[in-house]
Amino acid sequence: MKATEIRRILDAEVLCGAEYLEEVEISSAFGADMMSDMLAYHLDQSTLVLTGTVNRHVIRTVEMLDIRCVVFVRGKSVPDEIISNARALDIIVLNTDKTLFTACGILYEAGLRSCSR
Amino acid sequence: MTGPIYRESYSVERGNFATAGDASRAMKNTLKRMGVDPAIIRDVAIASYELELNLVIHSAGGSITLEIFPDRLRLTCADRGPGIPDISLALQEGYSTATQEVRNMGFGAGMGLPNIRRHSHEFDIESAMDAGTTITSQYRLMPNDGGK
């Protein structure tokens, strides 16, 4: 599924990377607030990351994993520094008011599945 | 034994979360420029990032060295202490001595060392309570060698 479809399904705001929404293909998703857990699973460039943790380490962590699209959940305010860091790395950043549970549930219902260990 | 064709060391300070990941980013970019297999780059990036975080969170400071040989690549992480009292315990998933402050940032879940080992072709750890800890993580670069 394209990132633009993720944005539509989650009714998410695009904080950066709008130009990549039609290009980036998502085939799995991973929801976590711990960066350690993201690093321990097999996430790759086609994995969507959903998290309620908002700090600079989120972008650093997804950069190491070659992630192209991140969703901040629970309507968190995302500082400009995080957005500019993501923009420099061509990462799409979305923001949704939905909880992690709900966002993951909606995406699962739409056919997206978890990445493996 | 043939010496490295490339060698670069990065100093990592204790407690400096602002720069945590800088060394790993630099190493990842170096490997990309050199045309290393993307799957190897990904493994090295994850291992080096975990090593870097370990230095920031747990050590008194240290360094990570990237060495590239014609047939392999080696990460060496050496710190100035305090040392790991029980290495087998530290290698268990979920075991962590990280503070709540570190956990609030999303780290310290006790996955670091096991994850470095899982993402390495060869892994070695030595630690002494007075001297510090040295971790080496190696990767084969020859194609079609069976991987990990």
Side-chain angles (χ1 to χ4, degrees):
Chain A
M1 147 184 340
K2 297 281 188 196
T4 190
E5 185 68 0
I6 305 279
R7 190 216 64 75
R8 188 191 65 76
I9 290 170
L10 296 179
D11 190 23
E13 179 187 2
V14 184
L15 300 184
C16 68
E19 63 270 41
Y20 305 116
L21 284 172
E22 298 287 346
E23 167 195 321
V24 171
E25 187 72 34
I26 301 296
S27 60
S28 63
F30 192 80
D33 284 349
M34 293 295 283
M35 304 303 106
S36 300
D37 288 332
M38 293 179 199
L39 290 162
Y41 276 72
H42 193 85
L43 280 62
D44 62 25
Q45 68 273 10
S46 65
T47 304
L48 175 74
V49 164
L50 301 101
T51 185
T53 298
V54 182
N55 62 41
R56 62 196 305 169
H57 305 300
V58 174
I59 302 303
R60 271 293 164 88
T61 301
V62 302
E63 176 188 0
M64 295 304 148
L65 297 166
D66 298 325
I67 300 294
R68 295 296 315 279
C69 188
V70 176
V71 180
F72 288 109
V73 298
R74 303 195 286 270
K76 294 279 183 79
S77 173
V78 182
D80 290 343
E81 181 204 8
I82 292 177
I83 299 170
S84 60
N85 287 348
R87 185 177 288 119
L89 294 163
D90 300 332
I91 294 169
I92 300 167
V93 177
L94 305 177
N95 198 6
T96 180
D97 288 336
K98 295 177 172 48
T99 64
L100 184 60
F101 176 81
T102 301
C104 290
I106 291 171
L107 292 172
Y108 189 91
E109 201 169 51
L112 214 53
R113 293 293 180 264
S114 179
C115 53
S116 60
R117 184 73 190 271
Chain B
M1 185 179 286
T2 310
I5 54 177
Y6 177 91
R7 187 178 193 279
E8 185 78 56
S9 280
Y10 302 86
S11 180
V12 180
E13 294 173 42
R14 172 188 174 82
N16 192 349
F17 282 94
T19 58
D22 282 359
S24 301
R25 171 187 283 176
M27 286 186 263
K28 190 177 181 188
N29 288 337
T30 295
L31 297 179
K32 277 184 182 173
R33 278 198 306 275
M34 291 184 161
V36 172
D37 177 355
I40 299 285
I41 294 177
R42 185 178 176 283
D43 279 341
V44 173
I46 291 170
S48 66
Y49 188 45
E50 293 274 25
L51 288 167
E52 209 175 337
L53 289 166
N54 273 356
L55 286 175
V56 171
I57 295 168
H58 298 291
S59 83
S63 65
I64 302 179
T65 301
L66 169 68
E67 293 170 293
I68 302 173
F69 300 84
D71 61 344
R72 67 199 159 92
L73 184 159
R74 180 164 66 202
L75 287 175
T76 305
C77 177
D79 69 35
R80 298 185 287 276
I84 300 172
D86 186 336
I87 290 175
S88 61
L89 190 58
L91 284 167
Q92 283 181 20
E93 285 193 0
Y95 176 79
S96 175
T97 58
T99 63
Q100 190 57 46
E101 183 187 8
V102 167
R103 290 170 199 257
N104 289 345
M105 283 188 272
F107 300 115
M111 306 297 280
L113 286 178
N115 207 27
I116 295 163
R117 181 162 62 175
R118 188 164 56 242
H119 284 280
S120 304
H121 294 175
E122 289 177 40
F123 173 86
D124 185 59
I125 178 168
E126 291 179 7
S127 189
M129 289 310 290
D130 292 330
T133 302
T134 299
I135 298 171
T136 53
S137 173
Q138 298 203 70
Y139 304 82
R140 292 181 293 276
L141 292 177
M142 293 293 284
N144 306 316
D145 66 351
K148 285 183 272 190

